[in-house]
Amino acid sequence: MDVDIAGGHERHGFVVMVGFGIDAHMIAETNDDLKDKAGWLAYVESLGRALSASDIVPFHITADDQPGRDEEGHTLLIANCGTLQGGFTLLPDADPSDGELDYLLLSANGIAQWAGTLKTMLWDNGLKRLIDNSDDTTSTDTVTHA
């Protein structure tokens, strides 16, 4: 992954998933002692603080040899594996064996949009997809999968 920051250009390698915005804030806010005791559930505890402190972050996304485009959102995840510990799937099309990276951009603003985002993630791309045995991933104005 190539990152342009105020100090210059950086190239980073990663395994499984890298996150910016809420995701990075949640990881930073996680209590290490609680994580030692509760495992991945410690991230749930820190998520509330991350959500309340999140800002809109600008992203310039270039994917699949397409022209780059400017986006903004609360979080951007890039991954080759879409299922988190506990079985929660964020990127339903991510497959570590397909040689591709997938991304998820969340750009909800306000309670109503966050509720719609949760519905899209938990129902449309979660339970409904399992029940219907569907391969279709749902994207909305606030949830972008690519």
Side-chain angles (χ1 to χ4, degrees):
M1 170 183 54
D2 294 316
V3 180
D4 292 318
I5 57 175
H9 181 83
E10 295 180 356
R11 177 164 252 189
H12 296 269
F14 63 92
V15 177
V16 180
M17 187 177 295
V18 64
F20 302 90
I22 290 172
D23 181 71
H25 195 89
M26 178 186 67
I27 299 298
E29 287 288 325
T30 300
N31 179 297
D32 290 333
D33 292 334
L34 182 59
K35 187 173 179 211
D36 289 342
K37 293 175 186 168
W40 64 268
L41 289 172
Y43 295 119
V44 175
E45 185 271 335
S46 66
L47 181 59
R49 288 190 305 280
L51 283 170
S52 66
S54 73
D55 293 320
I56 296 289
V57 178
F59 301 104
H60 183 78
I61 300 173
T62 304
D64 297 332
D65 298 323
Q66 298 294 317
R69 65 184 194 284
D70 292 323
E71 299 279 353
E72 56 183 33
H74 288 281
T75 199
L76 173 67
L77 297 173
I78 303 167
N80 64 1
C81 179
T83 302
L84 302 176
Q85 293 173 331
F88 184 72
T89 301
L90 288 175
L91 294 106
D93 294 330
D95 178 353
S97 67
D98 68 6
E100 296 181 350
L101 295 174
D102 292 66
Y103 73 84
L104 169 65
L105 176 66
L106 299 179
S107 56
N109 194 9
I111 298 292
Q113 286 189 351
W114 276 113
T117 296
L118 286 173
K119 180 231 176 235
T120 299
M121 293 175 70
L122 296 174
W123 174 250
D124 297 330
N125 293 323
L127 291 174
K128 181 179 179 210
R129 199 175 143 138
L130 286 173
I131 292 167
D132 293 346
N133 199 23
S134 172
D135 289 334
D136 297 331
T137 300
T138 301
S139 289
T140 65
D141 290 342
T142 62
V143 180
T144 304
H145 290 91

